[in-house]
């Protein structure tokens, strides 16, 4: 299962998910399958054609070799017959009662000369023998020696004037025999035998063999080996004779992956056999197969090159276009697209380029519109003064004027004046943290005077963040919500904690009060409003306004988070990157 899963993953990743590779594989299949089928069919046909041609050629050569061998055998037969045409031969072996010693010596000398003449006529003649039935003697020349022996018993006689052919499987020789008849009464008086070695066919066998791996043999009717061109062929298969009978009409058969061609001679007493290994028999088809394989490899290389070229022409532009789309998906609209093609792919490229240009124009227009809206919102924010806050502040100032001296009234007016100056005099939307904290302290002084002992304020500012930048009026709107929604209707003493510090490479501001809190339903409504991408302009300067401006300047990963529990607490956390004013090269930083 694991292996099949890996294979499936590999196929999906490198083939199914790649249009270029799928097109290349399809082209290879379309071009290679017919080529492979043609290669297999042509190889099969060529194998059959070569086999037929080789069989025909070997049969023809075997017939020609048979003719040569039979001519040689006929020569030995005629040579033996010529020995009989001698008027002295018959009297020399006919018994004469009054033969003298001198005559006996002359007769024996004649027979010896006659037999030596026959023996020396051909180097393949092993022995020549003359048998006299009258005086029961046998004369023989063998190994250049002359032997005379007396026969014991009656010699075996076979009648007939034709030559007699016999094979000796043990010695690998053949013998031609002819009877000798007395002319006067046609009485059988003797026999002459010519024993010959089969080595005379060596040159015929050598011409018959066309490959060193082929074997040439001469066997008898029982399949026993009489002659072999190679010394390694010491024996012939046992079932040769049976195959001779079965394949008598075709003169060849296949045995043990070898082809056997044969020609029977001398009334099927001997047979010339040629053994051709199958690999030699089909060597022509092997060359054809190798040539075809070479052509196939070249065709595969050409096909691969063509498929790469075609797939690049068709699929590569689409693959490049998909990569351009991925870049556009990552909000990179400055991609360059080559649209010089005039086919459907070129049309697709041009349409996509037009679409990107339109999207870029729309984004630029929307961005400019959003920036204009932001500036308008900020200008509106700068010009806003909460009437309810001003009313309460004036009530406090008037009450103090009645009860206390001018010093307190002075401090109250100073704080209020500092707030007005901070809001109205800033020309940008980014300020230093210390400026925002200073403004916040003026605001908290007024609120503390207003609520008196009913409010406790704890403010902590990390020294590391004072020179960092923050959007204008990011803290007051949130703290104002604490007084407006958390403390106004609360009977118990209110506690407001403000913690501003650096956490790693971020500024984390936590504003927490123990006011009325929010129900779960109201809390979820506030969170949904914060997560909304669009900015709906209204006269509120609360959470959504602060969150939107932080995201506009620093990215969507920053902003405002809120947590609350009804009748317990409300906690607001503001996250923004730590960036010092000297590092932030922007005209939005207000001048001090």
């Amino acid at each position: 299962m694991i292996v099949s899963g890996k294979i499936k993953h590999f196929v999906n990743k490198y083939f199914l998910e790649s249009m270029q590779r799928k097109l290349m594989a399809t082209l290879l299949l379309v071009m290679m399958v017919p080529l492979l089928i043609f290669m297999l069919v042509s190889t099969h046909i060529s194998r059959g054609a070569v086999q037929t041609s080789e069989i025909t050629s070997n049969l023809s050569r075997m017939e020609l070799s048979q003719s040569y061998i039979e001519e040689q055998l006929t020569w030995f037969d005629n040579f033996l017959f010529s020995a009989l045409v001698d008027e002295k031969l018959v009297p020399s072996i006919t018994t004469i009662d009054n033969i003298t010693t001198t005559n006996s010596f002359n007769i024996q000398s004649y027979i010896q000369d006659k037999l030596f003449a026959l023996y020396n006529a051909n180097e393949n003649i092993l022995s020549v023998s003359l048998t006299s039935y009258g005086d029961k003697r046998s004369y023989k020349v063998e190994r250049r020696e002359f032997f005379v022996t007396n026969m014991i018993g009656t010699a075996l006689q076979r009648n007939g004037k034709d030559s007699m052919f016999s094979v000796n499987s043990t010695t690998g020789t053949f013998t031609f025999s002819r009877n000798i008849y007395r002319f006067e009464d046609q009485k059988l008086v003797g026999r002459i035998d010519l024993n010959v070695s089969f080595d005379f066919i060596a040159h015929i066998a050598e011409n018959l063999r066309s490959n060193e791996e082929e074997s040439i043999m001469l066997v008898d009717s029982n399949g026993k080996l009489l002659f072999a061109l190679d010394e390694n062929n010491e024996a012939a298969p046992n079932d040769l004779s049976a195959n001779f009978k079965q394949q008598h009409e075709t003169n060849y058969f296949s045995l043990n992956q070898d082809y056997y061609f044969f020609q029977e001679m001398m009334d099927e007493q001997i047979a010339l056999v040629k053994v051709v290994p199958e690999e030699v028999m089909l060597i022509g088809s092997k060359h054809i197969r190798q040539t075809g394989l070479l052509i196939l490899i070249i065709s595969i290389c050409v096909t691969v090159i063509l498929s790469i070229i075609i797939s690049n022409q068709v699929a590569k532009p689409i693959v490049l276009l998909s990569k351009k789309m991925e870049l556009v998906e990552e909000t990179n609209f400055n991609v360059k697209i080559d649209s010089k093609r005039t086919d459907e792919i070129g049309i697709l490229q041009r349409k996509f380029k037009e679409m990107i240009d339109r999207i870029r124009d729309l984004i630029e227009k929307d961005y400019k519109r959003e920036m204009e809206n932001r500036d308008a919102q900020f200008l509106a924010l700068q010009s806003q003064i909460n009437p309810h806050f001003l009313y309460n502040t004036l009530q406090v100032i008037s009450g103090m004027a009645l009860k206390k001296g001018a010093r307190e009234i002075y401090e109250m007016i100073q704080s209020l004046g500092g707030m007005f100056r901070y809001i109205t005099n800033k020309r940008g939307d980014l300020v230093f943290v210390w400026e925002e904290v200073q403004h916040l302290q003026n605001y908290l002084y007024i609120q503390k005077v207003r609520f008196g002992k009913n409010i406790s304020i704890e403010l902590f500012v990390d020294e590391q963040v004072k020179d960092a930048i923050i959007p204008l009026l990011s803290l007051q709107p949130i703290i104002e919500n604490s007084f407006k929604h958390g403390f106004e209707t609360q009977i118990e003493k209110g506690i407001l904690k403000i913690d501003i510090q650096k956490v790693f490479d971020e500024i984390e501001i936590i504003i927490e009060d123990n006011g009325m809190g929010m129900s779960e339903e109201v809390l979820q409504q506030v969170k949904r409003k914060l997560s909304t991408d669009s900015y709906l302009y209204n006269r509120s300067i609360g959470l959504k306004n602060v969150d939107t401006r932080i995201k506009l300047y620093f990215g969507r990963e920053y902003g405002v988070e809120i947590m609350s529990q009804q009748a317990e607490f409300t906690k607001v956390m503001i996250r923004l990157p730590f960036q010092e004013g000297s590092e932030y090269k922007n005209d939005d930083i207000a001048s001090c």
Side-chain angles (χ1 to χ4, degrees):
M1 294 296 292
I2 297 176
V3 176
S4 61
K6 291 183 177 179
I7 294 175
K8 185 176 180 181
H9 174 73
F10 178 82
V11 172
N12 290 333
K13 182 177 180 181
Y14 292 99
F15 287 95
L16 298 182
E17 295 180 1
S18 174
M19 178 181 177
Q20 187 174 8
R21 292 191 181 94
K22 284 194 289 186
L23 180 59
M24 188 183 302
T26 303
L27 290 174
L28 285 174
L29 287 176
V30 170
M31 299 177 72
M32 291 306 303
V33 169
L35 189 61
L36 287 173
I37 294 175
F38 174 76
M39 181 65 187
L40 292 175
V41 173
S42 62
T43 301
H44 179 73
I45 294 175
S46 65
R47 178 187 176 94
V50 169
Q51 183 179 21
T52 303
S53 176
E54 288 292 328
I55 290 174
T56 304
S57 175
N58 279 284
L59 288 175
S60 299
R61 297 181 67 182
M62 288 290 291
E63 291 177 358
L64 186 61
S65 298
Q66 176 195 14
S67 300
Y68 289 156
I69 293 174
E70 288 181 340
E71 286 180 3
Q72 291 292 321
L73 293 174
T74 302
W75 182 88
F76 285 111
D77 185 28
N78 293 334
F79 175 71
L80 183 62
F81 179 76
S82 66
L84 299 180
V85 185
D86 187 348
E87 61 182 10
K88 296 183 179 181
L89 180 61
V90 175
S92 66
I93 61 174
T94 302
T95 303
I96 303 175
D97 296 335
N98 57 354
I99 188 171
T100 64
T101 303
T102 301
N103 289 335
S104 176
F105 177 78
N106 292 334
I107 290 172
Q108 184 170 323
S109 296
Y110 165 76
I111 293 175
Q112 180 178 353
D113 293 340
K114 181 71 174 182
L115 294 182
F116 265 108
L118 294 175
Y119 177 81
N120 293 324
N122 190 288
E123 62 180 2
N124 294 306
I125 297 176
L126 300 179
S127 66
V128 181
S129 61
L130 177 65
T131 303
S132 173
Y133 296 145
D135 58 4
K136 295 183 180 181
R137 283 188 177 184
S138 175
Y139 306 92
K140 186 176 183 180
V141 173
E142 185 178 19
R143 295 187 184 89
R144 302 187 179 277
E145 297 288 339
F146 179 70
F147 303 96
V148 179
T149 57
N150 293 320
M151 294 186 298
I152 301 175
T154 304
L156 180 63
Q157 301 178 9
R158 289 185 299 176
N159 295 324
K161 293 185 178 181
D162 295 334
S163 64
M164 293 169 286
F165 180 82
S166 62
V167 175
N168 189 333
S169 302
T170 303
T171 60
T173 60
F174 67 92
T175 302
F176 272 111
S177 303
R178 280 188 175 273
N179 290 324
I180 303 173
Y181 292 91
R182 190 163 53 193
F183 180 76
E184 291 84 359
D185 53 5
Q186 295 296 307
K187 180 181 178 181
L188 179 63
V189 295
R191 188 182 76 246
I192 187 170
D193 299 310
L194 189 67
N195 185 247
V196 185
S197 170
F198 280 111
D199 290 342
F200 76 90
I201 70 171
H203 70 282
I204 300 174
E206 191 68 42
N207 293 331
L208 178 61
R209 185 170 65 176
S210 56
N211 190 289
E212 293 183 357
E213 297 182 8
E214 296 177 350
S215 300
I216 309 298
M217 298 182 295
L218 192 70
V219 297
D220 63 7
S221 59
N222 295 321
K224 292 184 178 180
L225 185 65
L226 300 175
F227 169 82
L229 185 61
D230 295 324
E231 295 180 358
N232 295 331
N233 296 325
E234 298 178 353
N238 296 327
D239 50 357
L240 278 181
S241 58
N243 285 285
F244 290 163
K245 296 178 181 179
Q246 293 177 0
Q247 306 297 334
H248 183 74
E249 295 182 358
T250 60
N251 288 104
Y252 79 92
F253 58 90
S254 178
L255 181 66
N256 299 327
Q257 295 184 344
D258 291 330
Y259 285 82
Y260 288 78
F261 299 90
F262 64 93
Q263 288 291 338
E264 295 178 305
M265 296 170 286
M266 305 304 292
D267 296 330
E268 300 181 0
Q269 291 186 65
I270 59 175
L272 179 65
V273 180
K274 180 180 182 180
V275 184
V276 183
E278 185 178 25
E279 58 180 11
V280 176
M281 187 73 176
L282 301 177
I283 191 170
S285 64
K286 181 180 179 181
H287 292 320
I288 295 175
R289 184 168 62 251
Q290 290 175 347
T291 304
L293 183 61
L294 178 62
I295 295 174
L296 179 63
I297 293 173
I298 295 174
S299 301
I300 291 174
C301 295
V302 173
T303 302
V304 170
I305 294 173
L306 289 177
S307 63
I308 292 174
I309 294 174
I310 295 174
S311 62
N312 284 340
Q313 288 291 324
V314 177
K316 189 174 182 179
I318 299 177
V319 173
L320 292 176
L321 186 60
S322 66
K323 292 182 179 179
K324 301 292 185 182
M325 290 180 177
E326 292 177 357
L327 293 176
V328 172
E329 186 179 0
E330 297 174 358
T331 67
N332 180 9
F333 296 98
N334 297 320
V335 294
K336 295 182 180 181
I337 299 176
D338 184 12
S339 58
K340 295 180 181 180
R341 298 174 65 112
T342 57
D343 54 7
E344 288 80 0
I345 296 178
I347 295 174
L348 182 62
Q349 290 173 336
R350 286 192 293 274
K351 293 298 182 182
F352 182 69
K353 186 174 183 298
E354 293 174 1
M355 182 184 70
I356 293 176
D357 293 338
R358 291 183 61 187
I359 292 175
R360 186 190 299 113
D361 293 340
L362 290 174
I363 289 177
E364 289 178 356
K365 291 179 181 178
D366 288 345
Y367 178 75
K368 290 179 180 179
R369 187 183 301 112
E370 185 173 354
M371 292 299 294
E372 292 174 354
N373 288 339
R374 192 195 70 175
D375 292 340
Q377 293 165 15
F378 182 66
L379 292 174
L381 180 64
Q382 286 182 317
S383 63
Q384 288 181 16
I385 299 176
N386 193 314
H388 187 266
F389 173 73
L390 287 178
Y391 176 78
N392 291 337
T393 304
L394 291 175
Q395 287 294 323
V396 173
I397 294 173
S398 64
M400 291 178 63
L402 293 173
K403 295 180 180 180
K404 299 183 179 182
R407 182 64 183 175
E408 293 179 356
I409 296 174
Y410 172 78
E411 291 178 357
M412 185 73 115
I413 293 173
Q414 285 293 318
S415 297
L416 185 59
M419 289 179 59
F420 286 161
R421 282 195 307 272
Y422 182 75
I423 295 174
T424 58
N425 290 343
K426 293 296 179 182
R427 290 176 295 175
D429 195 25
L430 293 177
V431 297
F432 293 104
V433 172
W434 66 265
E435 292 181 292
E436 185 73 6
V437 171
Q438 191 177 54
H439 168 74
L440 181 62
Q441 288 175 337
N442 288 330
Y443 173 77
L444 291 175
Y445 174 78
I446 296 173
Q447 291 290 11
K448 193 168 185 180
V449 172
R450 175 189 168 194
F451 283 90
K453 295 181 180 181
N454 292 327
I455 188 74
S456 174
I457 300 174
E458 299 177 8
L459 174 61
F460 173 78
V461 181
D462 190 347
E463 291 292 333
Q464 297 183 70
V465 304
K466 287 187 175 182
D467 291 328
I469 55 173
I470 188 172
L472 180 68
L473 293 179
S474 297
L475 304 180
Q476 180 195 332
I478 299 174
I479 295 173
E480 187 175 351
N481 286 336
S482 297
F483 288 102
K484 182 177 180 180
H485 301 293
F487 297 143
E488 282 196 346
T489 59
Q490 182 172 307
I491 300 175
E492 297 179 357
K493 182 178 181 179
I495 300 174
L496 178 64
K497 295 181 180 180
I498 305 166
D499 186 38
I500 305 173
Q501 59 180 330
K502 180 182 178 183
V503 179
F504 297 108
D505 58 348
E506 294 182 354
I507 298 177
E508 187 177 277
I509 303 172
I510 298 176
I511 301 171
E512 184 177 1
D513 64 68
N514 65 340
M516 299 300 294
M518 288 179 279
S519 64
E520 185 64 27
E521 182 179 357
V522 174
L523 179 63
Q524 294 303 322
Q525 289 178 357
V526 174
K527 288 184 177 181
R528 281 195 296 271
K529 183 184 292 186
L530 289 175
S531 62
T532 304
D533 290 335
S534 61
Y535 179 81
L536 300 175
Y537 175 72
N538 53 47
R539 298 186 65 84
S540 171
I541 58 173
L543 289 173
K544 181 60 180 175
N545 183 287
V546 174
D547 182 68
T548 301
R549 289 188 292 128
I550 291 175
K551 284 181 168 59
L552 282 173
Y553 279 110
F554 304 118
R556 299 186 60 82
E557 64 270 25
Y558 301 102
V560 177
E561 299 178 15
I562 185 170
M563 296 163 281
S564 182
Q565 188 172 345
Q566 193 169 13
E568 292 290 337
F569 71 93
T570 298
K571 182 178 181 180
V572 177
M573 184 171 67
I574 303 173
R575 291 176 51 254
L576 61 157
F578 178 79
Q579 295 180 354
E580 294 184 342
S582 59
E583 298 176 356
Y584 199 85
K585 309 295 184 181
N586 196 303
D587 293 337
D588 285 334
I589 300 179
S591 60
C592 297

